[in-house]
C-alpha cells in the first residue's frame, strides 16, 4: 500500500497548502505507530482516518466518522496513501483543487496493530476522542477495490445502566441510540459531552429555570419543549414553580428544573434534552424571580446572509454598547447566527427589553441595507435581524455550551472578539461538540467573567 505517486499526481504544490514531497521518502516518527482523524469539509463533510504504515499514512474516508457503538458498521472508502507530514496538516484546500475545503484535526494518537492484510486491518486506537478497537475490511463482492467498511469492536450494552454520579444514582437508558444520524453520535456520547463540559456550562445555568428541548427520536426527528418536569423529575432535582400565563396547554404554572449540579445535568441529558434554554434572569433560594442580570441580542441571518454578516452587525452593536458603558460578550447560537450578552444591573424587568429594542431600531435606521429590527419575513432577505425580543422575561435563549439539534452536533460556543472581527467564512465559527471540548481544554470559558462587572443602562 505504501506509495505516494497517486497522492502527488492529484496535487499541485504551487496551488495547495498540503505537504507535497518531491519523492517517495518514507519516514518513521516513533516506535509506536500513530493515527490521525481529520474533519474534512469538502463537498460533503466526512472524516479522513489515517494510520501510519511503512513510513506513509494509509487512509480511508469515513463519511460518518468513528464515533460508533460496538458492532456498528459504516462505509470507509480507501483512498491514496498520504505522506507522514499530513498528520499535522490543517488548513483550507483551495477551490478547484482535489479535496477542496477546510481540513481540521479531529483526533490523533497511537494505535496497536492486531492484523494487517490486503483485505483487513484490525487496530486498537488510543486517542483523545476515540479509544478502542476498529476493523477496516474490504467490502465483499464490491467491484471497486476501494470500497471498504469499518466495524467497531466490543460488546453491546444490554438494557438500562445504573451509574453513580456524585452522590446520586441514575438509570441511563438507550445509550447506543444514535441521536445525531449524520455523524453517528450516540446518546452515550451526548451524555459524555455534557459530563465533560459541565464545569463551564453549570455556572451559566445556575439559578435559572431551564426549558428542555427534547429529541427522543434524534436530532433529525421532531422535538418538543418541556417546561414542567413535575411528573417525572426525581425528588432531588431542584424545581421552581413559575407562572405560565401564555401556556398553550392552559396551565397557570409549571415546575421548571434548575440545573445546579452534574447529576441534574446528566438526568436532563438522559431525557434526550439536547438543547437547554434559559431566561436572562435568575430565581432566588425560595423561587422568587429576580430582575434580569443579562441583556441579550440575538443576531439571526436572513436569506442570502450568514454568520459572517452577523459578525459585521455584532461589531456595530458592540460599538453602541461601548458608548453606553456596557461590555458585550459574543457566542455562536450553535445554529446559524450569533448572540451577544451584556451583564447589567436593573430594577425593572422590562428595562432591558426597552433598551435593546431602541438600540436595534436605531441601527436598523442607520444601516437599512444590512439590518432589520422586525420579524417580518418579507423584509429579512439579505439582512440580519437584531432580535431584541429575547429580553422579554417570558422568553429564553439557548445556554452557552448547549448542543443544538443540527446535523453535525454543533453547540452554542463562546468566542472572542478577535474571532468575530476575523470571520470571513461561515465555517470558521461552526463548532461541533468535539471542537467545543477542545476549545475549553485550551482556552477555558471565554464567558468566565460575564457577571463580574455589570453595567447600568443609560436613562
Amino acid at each position: 500500500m505504501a506509495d505516494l505517486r497517486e497522492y502527488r499526481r492529484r496535487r499541485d504544490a504551487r496551488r495547495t497548502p498540503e505537504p507535497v514531497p518531491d519523492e517517495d521518502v518514507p519516514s518513521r516518527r516513533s516506535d509506536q505507530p500513530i493515527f490521525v482523524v481529520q474533519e474534512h469539509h469538502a463537498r460533503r463533510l466526512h472524516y479522513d482516518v489515517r494510520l501510519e504504515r511503512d513510513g506513509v499514512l494509509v487512509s480511508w474516508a469515513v463519511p460518518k466518522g468513528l464515533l460508533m457503538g460496538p458492532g456498528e458498521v459504516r462505509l470507509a472508502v480507501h483512498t491514496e496513501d498520504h505522506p507522514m507530514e499530513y498528520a499535522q496538516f490543517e488548513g483550507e484546500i483551495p477551490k478547484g483543487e482535489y479535496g477542496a475545503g477546510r481540513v481540521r484535526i479531529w483526533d490523533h494518537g497511537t494505535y496497536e496493530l492486531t492484523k494487517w492484510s490486503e483485505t483487513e486491518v484490525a487496530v486498537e486506537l488510543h486517542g483523545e476522542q476515540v479509544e478502542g478497537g476498529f476493523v477496516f475490511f474490504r467490502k465483499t463482492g464490491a467491484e471497486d477495490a476501494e470500497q471498504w467498511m469499518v466495524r467497531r469492536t466490543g460488546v453491546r450494552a444490554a438494557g438500562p445502566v445504573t451509574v453513580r454520579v456524585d452522590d446520586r444514582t441514575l438509570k441511563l437508558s438507550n445509550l447506543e441510540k444514535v441521536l445525531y444520524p449524520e455523524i453517528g453520535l450516540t446518546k452515550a456520547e451526548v451524555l459524555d459531552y455534557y459530563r465533560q463540559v459541565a464545569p463551564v456550562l453549570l455556572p451559566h445555568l445556575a439559578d435559572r429555570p431551564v426549558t428542555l428541548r427534547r429529541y427522543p427520536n434524534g436530532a433529525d426527528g421532531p422535538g418538543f419543549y418541556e417546561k414542567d418536569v413535575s411528573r417525572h423529575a426525581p425528588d432531588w432535582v431542584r424545581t421552581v414553580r413559575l407562572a405560565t400565563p401564555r401556556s398553550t396547554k392552559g396551565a397557570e404554572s409549571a415546575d421548571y428544573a434548575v440545573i445546579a449540579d452534574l447529576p441534574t445535568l446528566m438526568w436532563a441529558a438522559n431525557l434526550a434534552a439536547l438543547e437547554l434554554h434559559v431566561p436572562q434572569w435568575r430565581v432566588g433560594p425560595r423561587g422568587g424571580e429576580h430582575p434580569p442580570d443579562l441583556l441579550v441580542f440575538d443576531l439571526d441571518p436572513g436569506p442570502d446572509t450568514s454568520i459572517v454578516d452577523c459578525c459585521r452587525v455584532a461589531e456595530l452593536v458592540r460599538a453602541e454598547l461601548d458608548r453606553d458603558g456596557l461590555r458585550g460578550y459574543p457566542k455562536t447560537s450553535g445554529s446559524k447566527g450569533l448572540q451577544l450578552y451584556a451583564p447589567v444591573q436593573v430594577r425593572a424587568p422590562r428595562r432591558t427589553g426597552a433598551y435593546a429594542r431602541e438600540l436595534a431600531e436605531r441601527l436598523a435606521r442607520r444601516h437599512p441595507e444590512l439590518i432589520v429590527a422586525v420579524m417580518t419575513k418579507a423584509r429579512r432577505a439579505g439582512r440580519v435581524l437584531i432580535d431584541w425580543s429575547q429580553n422579554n422575561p417570558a422568553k429564553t435563549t439557548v445556554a452557552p455550551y448547549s448542543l443544538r439539534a443540527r446535523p453535525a452536533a454543533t453547540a452554542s460556543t463562546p468566542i472572542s472578539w478577535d474571532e468575530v472581527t476575523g470571520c470571513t467564512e461561515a465555517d470558521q465559527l461552526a463548532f461541533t461538540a468535539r471542537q467545543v471540548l477542545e476549545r475549553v481544554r485550551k482556552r477555558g470559558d471565554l464567558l468566565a467573567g460575564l457577571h463580574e462587572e455589570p453595567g447600568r443602562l443609560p436613562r
Side-chain angles (χ1 to χ4, degrees), residues 280 294-299 317 320-321 324 326 340 342 344 346 349-365 371-374 385-392 457-458:
Q280 318 314 320
L294 286 175
L295 177 72
V296 67
F297 295 90
D298 184 23
L299 310 182
V317 174
E320 296 298 304
L321 293 175
D324 290 334
L326 302 174
L340 298 184
V344 294
V346 297
R350 302 283 175 178
R351 183 75 180 88
T352 51
Y355 172 84
R357 179 174 185 174
E358 192 279 328
L359 188 153
E361 292 177 345
R362 182 168 69 244
L363 287 179
R365 289 193 298 270
I371 298 171
V372 65
V374 294
L385 168 67
I386 302 182
D387 183 1
W388 49 266
S389 70
Q390 290 186 25
N391 294 283
N392 183 324
L457 299 180

Side-chain angles (χ1 to χ4, degrees), residues 195-349:
R195 177 189 65 80
Q196 293 189 64
V197 86
V200 292
L201 167 60
L202 289 173
H204 299 296
L205 301 178
D207 298 323
R208 299 186 193 273
V210 177
T211 297
L212 308 176
R213 193 169 188 186
R214 297 175 57 185
Y215 290 84
N217 295 313
D220 61 343
F224 65 93
Y225 290 96
E226 183 174 50
K227 300 178 179 180
D228 193 335
V229 299
S230 59
R231 291 176 299 139
H232 58 81
D235 57 10
W236 47 264
V237 170
R238 183 190 174 194
T239 60
V240 291
R241 181 161 295 177
L242 300 172
T244 53
R246 297 183 180 180
S247 171
T248 57
K249 299 179 181 179
E252 296 181 357
S253 64
D255 291 339
Y256 289 75
V258 179
I259 300 178
D261 51 33
L262 182 59
T264 307
L265 182 60
M266 293 294 94
W267 164 79
N270 189 53
L271 297 174
L274 302 181
E275 299 184 6
L276 308 172
H277 296 251
V278 291
Q280 318 314 320
W281 46 269
R282 302 176 188 261
V283 294
R286 299 180 181 178
E289 298 180 27
H290 289 186
D293 60 354
L294 286 175
L295 177 72
V296 67
F297 295 90
D298 184 23
L299 310 182
D300 189 14
D304 301 321
T305 62
S306 73
I307 198 170
V308 177
D309 303 282
C310 292
C311 287
R312 306 293 80 83
V313 174
E315 293 171 307
L316 297 173
V317 174
R318 182 192 191 187
E320 296 298 304
L321 293 175
D322 287 346
R323 187 196 66 179
D324 290 334
L326 302 174
R327 184 174 180 181
Y329 291 80
K331 73 179 181 76
T332 70
S333 69
S335 181
K336 299 178 181 179
L338 203 64
Q339 293 160 344
L340 298 184
Y341 283 136
V344 294
Q345 284 183 324
V346 297
R347 293 184 179 180

Side-chain angles (χ1 to χ4, degrees), residues 99-232:
R102 181 172 294 275
V103 177
R104 296 175 176 173
I105 294 175
W106 177 78
D107 197 13
H108 61 91
T110 61
Y111 75 88
E112 297 175 46
L113 179 62
T114 304
K115 180 180 180 179
W116 195 293
S117 73
E118 290 297 316
T119 58
E120 183 177 343
V121 175
V123 294
E124 191 84 14
L125 301 183
H126 305 294
E128 296 179 3
Q129 306 284 0
V130 290
E131 178 79 29
F134 294 84
V135 177
F136 294 83
F137 57 96
R138 186 176 292 170
K139 192 174 181 181
T140 304
E143 295 182 2
D144 186 350
E146 308 307 324
Q147 293 297 305
W148 286 52
M149 306 294 286
V150 58
R151 181 178 69 250
R152 180 74 160 87
T153 62
V155 180
R156 291 179 178 271
V161 176
T162 300
V163 299
R164 191 77 175 171
V165 181
D166 293 342
D167 58 345
R168 305 296 184 188
T169 300
L170 282 78
K171 182 177 287 187
L172 307 178
S173 60
N174 300 317
L175 294 179
E176 292 185 20
K177 186 168 187 175
V178 176
L179 295 182
Y180 287 90
E182 186 161 313
I183 60 170
L185 199 69
T186 65
K187 186 177 179 182
E189 290 156 340
V190 168
L191 282 158
D192 190 55
Y193 167 78
Y194 276 117
R195 177 189 65 80
Q196 293 189 64
V197 86
V200 292
L201 167 60
L202 289 173
H204 299 296
L205 301 178
D207 298 323
R208 299 186 193 273
V210 177
T211 297
L212 308 176
R213 193 169 188 186
R214 297 175 57 185
Y215 290 84
N217 295 313
D220 61 343
F224 65 93
Y225 290 96
E226 183 174 50
K227 300 178 179 180
D228 193 335
V229 299
S230 59
R231 291 176 299 139
H232 58 81

Side-chain angles (χ1 to χ4, degrees), residues 362-421:
R362 182 168 69 244
L363 287 179
R365 289 193 298 270
R366 291 180 188 171
H367 307 276
E369 77 293 344
L370 178 61
I371 298 171
V372 65
V374 294
M375 298 270 188
T376 308
K377 290 184 178 181
R379 298 179 58 182
R380 294 190 57 192
R383 298 177 177 86
V384 173
L385 168 67
I386 302 182
D387 183 1
W388 49 266
S389 70
Q390 290 186 25
N391 294 283
N392 183 324
K395 292 194 173 185
T396 60
T397 302
V398 66
Y401 303 107
S402 170
L403 291 174
R404 302 306 303 268
R406 305 288 295 179
T410 48
S412 179
T413 310
I415 56 177
S416 68
W417 278 109
D418 284 344
E419 288 176 299
V420 173
T421 57

